[in-house]
Amino acid sequence: LALVCAGLTWLGWYGYTKGLGRHWRSLLEKEFARYGLYIDIGKITLDPFRGLIARDIQIFNNEQEENLLAEINQVSLDINYANLFQHGPALNSVDLSGATLLVPLNFRSPQSGKVRVTDFHARIYLFPGRIEVRQASAHLYGIRINAAATLIHPQNISTAVAAVTNDPDPSDATVK
C-alpha cells in the first residue's frame, strides 16, 4: 500500500512538473484540427485542481503553420476520456483563466507587432459544426472587454483568415 501511494505521488509530481509526452500532445492537436484550429502545444501538465492544462499554445491558420493567429500561455481542457480512447470527438470545452494572448497585428508577418491581451477569461465550448465562446472577458491596453460569440463552420476559418491577410486595407496605418 505504501509503494502504491508512493507511486501515485511520484506519477502526480511527474505529470505536474514534467508534463505528458509528445503522443498526448499530438492527440490533442488532432482533436483541435477537427474544429479547423491548427495548434502547436508546448507542454501538457496535470494540475490536481484544474485537470489537464495545455501550456505555451500557438494557433495557426493552416497545417503548414504559415500564419500565427494567436499565442496562449495556458488552457484548461475538459476532455471526454471515453471518446478519446475510442478515437471519437473528445474535447468538450476549454477554459481560459487568467490567460495571456498575443495576437499579431499583421497576419502576413507575425513578427511585425502583436497585441497583448491580458487577464483573459473565457469558457469555449466545442460542438460539431460550431464553436461557442461564452462570457469572455479580458484587458486590452487597460480597457476591460466582455464578449460572447458563436463561430459556425470553424473548419472554414483558414479561408477567412486568408481573405483578411490578402485584403489590401489601407487602415494598417491607423492601427500603427
Side-chain angles (χ1 to χ4, degrees):
L1 184 61
L3 286 175
V4 169
C5 288
L8 288 175
T9 302
W10 177 83
L11 189 61
W13 171 83
Y14 186 83
Y16 184 73
T17 58
K18 302 293 182 188
L20 303 176
R22 180 70 199 151
H23 172 71
W24 292 100
R25 290 193 312 255
S26 65
L27 276 176
L28 193 58
E29 289 168 1
K30 288 177 189 173
E31 186 67 27
F32 274 99
R34 289 182 190 209
Y35 297 98
L37 299 171
Y38 302 100
I39 65 170
D40 183 35
I41 300 172
K43 186 179 188 182
I44 297 178
T45 60
L46 181 61
D47 189 296
F49 300 107
R50 293 176 54 204
L52 285 177
I53 306 292
R55 300 181 190 277
D56 303 327
I57 301 166
Q58 294 179 326
I59 302 173
F60 297 95
N61 68 329
N62 57 21
E63 290 182 80
Q64 290 76 28
E65 299 181 353
E66 293 173 355
N67 296 324
L68 179 68
L69 300 179
E71 295 178 69
I72 305 171
N73 63 341
Q74 64 178 354
V75 173
S76 177
L77 305 167
D78 179 16
I79 296 178
N80 184 341
Y81 296 105
N83 285 354
L84 179 67
F85 293 124
Q86 294 176 358
H87 303 291
L91 192 59
N92 296 332
S93 66
V94 295
D95 186 21
L96 290 100
S97 178
T100 301
L101 275 73
L102 295 173
V103 182
L105 289 173
N106 185 354
F107 290 125
R108 280 177 260 167
S109 64
Q111 292 78 15
S112 63
K114 296 180 182 178
V115 174
R116 183 180 174 91
V117 180
T118 58
D119 197 28
F120 187 71
H121 298 274
R123 183 79 171 177
I124 302 170
Y125 293 93
L126 303 163
F127 299 111
R130 75 180 197 271
I131 297 175
E132 289 186 13
V133 180
R134 297 185 185 165
Q135 301 174 348
S137 65
H139 281 109
L140 178 65
Y141 295 114
I143 300 171
R144 185 76 169 164
I145 297 173
N146 295 316
T150 300
L151 179 64
I152 299 174
H153 301 297
Q155 57 274 17
N156 297 338
I157 196 168
S158 61
T159 57
V161 170
V164 169
T165 56
N166 295 329
D167 183 22
D169 187 4
S171 65
D172 289 342
T174 309
V175 172
K176 290 178 185 175

